[in-house]
Amino acid sequence: MPSPVMAALKDVADGVRLAPLWWRLGLDQTASRFQRSVLGPFWMACNLLVVAFALAFLVSTLMGVDMSKSYPQVVAGLLAWSLVGTTIAEAQAIFLYNSGLMQSQRLPLSFYVFLHAQKAATNFLFQLIAFWAVMIVLHKFVIPHWTLIPAMAVMLLIVCFQGFIIAIPSTRFRDVAYMMSYVVQLLFYVTPVFWMADHVSPRNRWVVELNPFAHQVDLLRAPLLGHAPAVNDWVWALGTTGVLALVAFALLAMFRKRVVFWL
């Protein structure tokens, strides 16, 4: 009988092997969500752009920042947050949402986590297209920095590891799902998504510098605006990835067999 660690590694390997299946299933679930809709998944992008306009107007009014400068920063920040923070709130339902499939089909747990990451990546790409379209209309379009591709790869790894860490306890303790909505809302306000870190006083700068989500947002926002992310952002993102990987594999090794009984 394989050890729990080897069984967890095999679970992840089997999930990777089933990539064509969860890739296709993720596309089908995204399409079915917007069935009979004219704009389809672009409705998510419309929501992003409207919220970004409202927040940029608020920032420019209260802080005296030129809206032509604040809007690209805010909409790029919200676009990054859709992959950084929104996926945290959605991760609690990874196994609960697929409970019927889990109880009828014997698939690795990583299959459902990769399915979650695939849908997050699809949503991000639709919003990215809308972001570029609006920037062209506003004559603010810049060629994205090449680091956008590795930054997205790192963030998708973080999404997967966070998926294990949040979904496993959420399946056993349903209160975690309610708690995560409040946690994500709090993180949104303390992370420089719609406000700029430059406006924080040096005394309170630690709120940004010690916030791993702030570095993850900047890791995506900087290349979206044509700049390379700071080295510090890479260090924090890669360090966070390593820590999350260890915790995710530990949880998967300990509770892999129990999750289906918790549904």
Side-chain angles (χ1 to χ4, degrees):
M1 180 179 295
S3 66
V5 175
M6 293 303 298
L9 292 174
K10 184 179 183 301
D11 186 288
V12 175
D14 290 342
V16 173
R17 181 174 53 83
L18 293 172
L21 180 57
W22 52 256
W23 179 267
R24 180 61 185 177
L25 181 60
L27 294 178
D28 289 342
Q29 289 183 354
T30 301
S32 63
R33 179 181 173 186
F34 299 96
Q35 191 174 12
R36 297 184 180 181
S37 171
V38 176
L39 295 181
F42 283 104
W43 275 115
M44 295 179 296
C46 293
N47 177 70
L48 169 75
L49 298 175
V50 171
V51 173
F53 180 84
L55 291 176
F57 179 78
L58 181 66
V59 170
S60 62
T61 302
L62 296 181
M63 299 183 180
V65 180
D66 186 1
M67 190 169 179
S68 62
K69 298 180 180 179
S70 65
Y71 187 76
Q73 291 277 348
V74 172
V75 71
L78 287 173
L79 177 58
W81 184 255
S82 70
L83 201 58
V84 173
T86 305
T87 51
I88 298 177
E90 296 173 348
Q92 50 83 21
I94 290 177
F95 300 137
L96 298 175
Y97 179 78
N98 295 287
S99 59
L101 183 60
M102 292 181 67
Q103 292 171 338
S104 61
Q105 299 291 330
R106 189 173 181 179
L107 294 170
L109 292 186
S110 59
F111 173 88
Y112 304 99
V113 175
F114 293 152
L115 175 62
H116 162 70
Q118 191 276 340
K119 291 189 287 186
T122 301
N123 296 341
F124 180 83
L125 290 177
F126 276 107
Q127 294 175 336
L128 181 60
I129 294 172
F131 168 75
W132 283 334
V134 172
M135 291 300 104
I136 291 175
V137 172
L138 298 178
H139 304 289
K140 296 291 182 180
F141 176 78
V142 294
I143 298 176
H145 197 269
W146 65 269
T147 52
L148 178 62
I149 296 177
M152 287 181 60
V154 171
M155 282 309 309
L156 288 176
L157 281 176
I158 291 178
V159 168
C160 290
F161 294 138
Q162 285 177 343
F164 285 112
I165 295 172
I166 297 172
I168 292 177
S170 297
T171 308
R172 177 63 180 87
F173 304 102
R174 303 302 168 88
D175 295 291
V176 175
Y178 298 100
M179 181 182 67
M180 290 311 302
S181 62
Y182 297 106
V183 171
V184 172
Q185 188 175 19
L186 176 62
L187 291 173
F188 176 75
Y189 289 119
V190 299
T191 302
V193 177
F194 64 93
W195 51 271
M196 302 299 109
D198 296 337
H199 299 154
V200 180
S201 64
R203 178 182 177 182
N204 298 321
R205 188 60 61 88
W206 62 270
V207 175
V208 176
E209 294 176 349
L210 300 181
N211 184 351
F213 300 99
H215 296 287
Q216 293 172 27
V217 168
D218 284 338
L219 190 69
L220 290 172
R221 176 162 51 191
L224 285 172
L225 298 177
H227 311 295
V231 175
N232 195 37
D233 295 331
W234 282 110
V235 172
W236 270 88
L238 293 175
T240 302
T241 304
V243 173
L244 293 177
L246 293 176
V247 177
F249 275 108
L251 288 174
L252 185 60
M254 290 187 292
F255 304 112
R256 183 180 60 86
K257 294 182 178 180
R258 302 183 188 180
V259 171
V260 70
F261 298 102
W262 292 340
L263 295 172

